[in-house]
Amino acid sequence: MIHTLALDPIAFRLGPITVHWYGIILGTAALVGLALAVREGKRFGIVPDFFMDLLLIGVPSSVIFARIYYVAFRWQDYQHDPLSVFRIWEGGIAIYGALIGALLSGYLYIRHKGYSFWRIADICAPSLIVGQAIGRWGNFVNQEAYGSPVTEAFLREALRLPNFIVEQMYIQEVYRHPTFLYESIWNVAGLLLLFGLRRLPFVRSGELLLSYFIWYSIGRFFIEGLRTDSLAFDGPKWLENLLEALWSPMLLMAPPGKMDYGNIRISQLVAVLCVLGAIALILFRRAKGYSAERYSDPIRSTKDVAAAPNAETGTEHAAEEAGEAGATTGERRERSDTHDSNGSV
C-alpha cells in the first residue's frame, strides 16, 4: 500500500514567495486569540488597539523565544548548518519557549501602559490556550509532535479518525499516536474551563492565568510521555524514576514513547514545575492579600488615575478664574452704576 501525505505543507506560491500551511495556521491562531481578548476587554473598557499592539509585540517575541528554546535543546540538529536555525517554517518551536517570550514582552508592555499585569494576563489566558489548540495543527501539517507507534485499526476504529488524519500520521513507515490532536482537544476543554472560571465570583486577579498553567501543564505532562520526538537531556536517575512514577497511570492505555536521546523529557519536567509553582503562587498571593481584586472588578490604568487629579485641579483653576472674572465684571458694573447715579444728581 502506497501512503502519501494527506496535506502538502505548502499552501500556495505567489511567484518567488512560498506560503506554508504552518505559517497560515499560526497566524490564524494569533488572530483568534486577539478576537477573544478584544471581546473580553470591552467588558472592562479597554480599547481594541491595546490588544492589537500587545499582539504585534507578543507574537514576534513568542516566535523568537520558542525557536531559541527548541534549538538550544536540539543543537545537534543545527550545528552543522547554522542557517537552518532561521528556517522556522519547517517547524521546530517549543510552546514553553513561546510562553516565556509572550509573558516577558507582555509584562513590559502592560506595565508601560500602567495596567496591572495580572488583570490583563487573566483576560489573555483564554487567548493563549485557544492559540495553542489551533497552533498544534501546524505540527500536524509538518508531521511533528507525534507519538509512539500504533496500529492503523487503532486510529480508524478505536479513535474513529478521518482518513486525512490517519494518513498524515503514517510517519517513518508506521502509524503514530496523534499527540498533536490529543493536546489540541485538551486545550479546547481548557478554553471552556477558563470561560467558566472567569464568571465565578471567588476568582481573584491572576488566578485565571495560573489556572491556565495548571490545566495546560497537566495535559502536556501526560501527552508528552507518548511522544518520540521530545526535547530531552540526561538527568539523575531519581528524577527519571519520579517522572515515570507520576506518568504510570498512562500505562493502562499506552506504553511511553521511546526517545533517541536523554532520559528526562524537558516538557514533562517543566510541566510539573509549572503545576506546583502555580498552585503555590495562588496560595501565597491569597495569604498575603496580593490578589484582593477579583476578576470582575474594574480595570484602571495608573496613568489614567494620575491624570485624574490634574484634570480636577485644572477644573478648579478654571472655576477660580471664572469666579475672579465674574467678580471683576461685577465690580466694574457697580462702579459704572455709581458713576451714572452721581452724574444724574
Side-chain angles (χ1 to χ4, degrees):
M1 181 178 180
I2 298 176
H3 295 270
T4 59
L5 293 181
L7 187 63
D8 188 339
I10 297 175
F12 57 89
R13 290 184 174 86
L14 295 174
I17 301 175
T18 301
V19 180
H20 293 255
W21 280 112
Y22 192 77
I24 292 175
I25 292 171
L26 293 185
T28 301
L31 291 177
V32 172
L34 173 63
L36 285 180
V38 167
R39 182 181 179 87
E40 184 67 4
K42 289 180 179 179
R43 292 182 57 211
F44 298 95
I46 301 175
V47 296
D49 285 350
F50 172 83
F51 293 104
M52 292 179 67
D53 292 341
L54 187 60
L55 178 70
L56 292 175
I57 294 172
V59 168
S61 301
S62 298
V63 172
I64 291 171
F65 276 82
R67 188 61 167 176
I68 291 174
Y69 187 102
Y70 182 86
V71 171
F73 291 105
R74 294 288 297 186
W75 179 241
Q76 66 272 21
D77 297 339
Y78 300 93
Q79 58 183 344
H80 300 299
D81 183 16
L83 291 179
S84 63
V85 169
F86 301 99
R87 294 198 286 269
I88 195 169
W89 56 86
E90 296 178 354
I93 60 175
I95 295 297
Y96 282 117
L99 289 174
I100 293 172
L103 292 175
L104 179 60
S105 62
Y107 176 82
L108 295 175
Y109 177 74
I110 291 168
R111 297 303 298 160
H112 171 70
K113 289 295 184 178
Y115 289 109
S116 163
F117 169 76
W118 291 109
R119 301 301 309 280
I120 300 299
D122 279 345
I123 292 178
C124 294
S127 300
L128 290 174
I129 203 164
V130 76
Q132 290 172 260
I134 297 172
R136 276 303 177 195
W137 288 85
N139 300 134
F140 163 72
V141 173
N142 284 353
Q143 289 191 311
E144 57 187 5
Y146 51 80
S148 53
V150 294
T151 64
E152 182 178 2
F154 174 78
L155 298 178
R156 294 188 186 278
E157 299 172 13
L159 298 184
R160 298 183 179 278
L161 297 179
N163 185 65
F164 79 97
I165 293 181
V166 175
E167 294 303 319
Q168 193 75 352
M169 286 296 97
Y170 189 76
I171 304 170
Q172 299 175 353
E173 300 184 349
V174 293
Y175 289 98
R176 303 277 182 170
H177 269 292
T179 48
F180 85 93
L181 181 61
Y182 303 158
E183 189 170 322
S184 183
I185 293 174
W186 179 263
N187 289 338
V188 171
L191 175 65
L192 298 177
L193 174 66
L194 294 182
F195 280 163
L197 284 177
R198 71 186 187 184
R199 295 296 185 268
L200 298 178
F202 60 80
V203 175
R204 307 283 183 85
S205 66
E207 293 181 353
L208 204 69
L209 175 68
L210 295 174
S211 297
Y212 151 76
F213 272 107
I214 293 171
W215 178 266
Y216 172 73
S217 297
I218 290 174
R220 182 61 185 271
F221 175 82
F222 288 106
I223 295 170
E224 188 72 18
L226 296 173
R227 289 175 55 172
T228 59
D229 61 345
S230 299
L231 297 176
F233 68 94
D234 291 314
K237 189 64 177 178
W238 67 265
L239 182 56
E240 178 184 2
N241 293 336
L242 175 61
L243 295 179
E244 287 181 353
L246 293 174
W247 195 83
S248 60
M250 286 289 290
L251 293 174
L252 299 174
M253 294 176 282
K258 295 182 180 180
M259 298 183 295
D260 295 332
Y261 73 104
N263 65 330
I264 304 297
R265 298 173 191 265
I266 295 171
S267 290
Q268 281 193 320
L269 178 59
V270 173
V272 171
L273 294 177
C274 281
V275 171
L276 296 177
I279 294 174
L281 196 52
I282 289 175
L283 297 176
F284 175 78
R285 295 182 75 242
R286 285 210 171 210
K288 295 295 183 179
Y290 295 148
S291 57
E293 286 185 294
R294 300 181 186 275
Y295 178 87
S296 57
D297 289 344
I299 298 177
R300 296 184 178 87
S301 169
T302 55
K303 292 187 176 181
D304 293 339
V305 174
N310 294 332
E312 292 175 0
T313 302
T315 303
E316 291 173 359
H317 286 319
E320 291 175 0
E321 292 176 358
E324 292 174 358
T328 303
T329 302
E331 291 172 358
R332 288 174 180 173
R333 288 177 179 172
E334 184 178 353
R335 287 196 297 269
S336 176
D337 292 342
T338 303
H339 175 73
D340 292 340
S341 176
N342 293 335
S344 29
V345 169

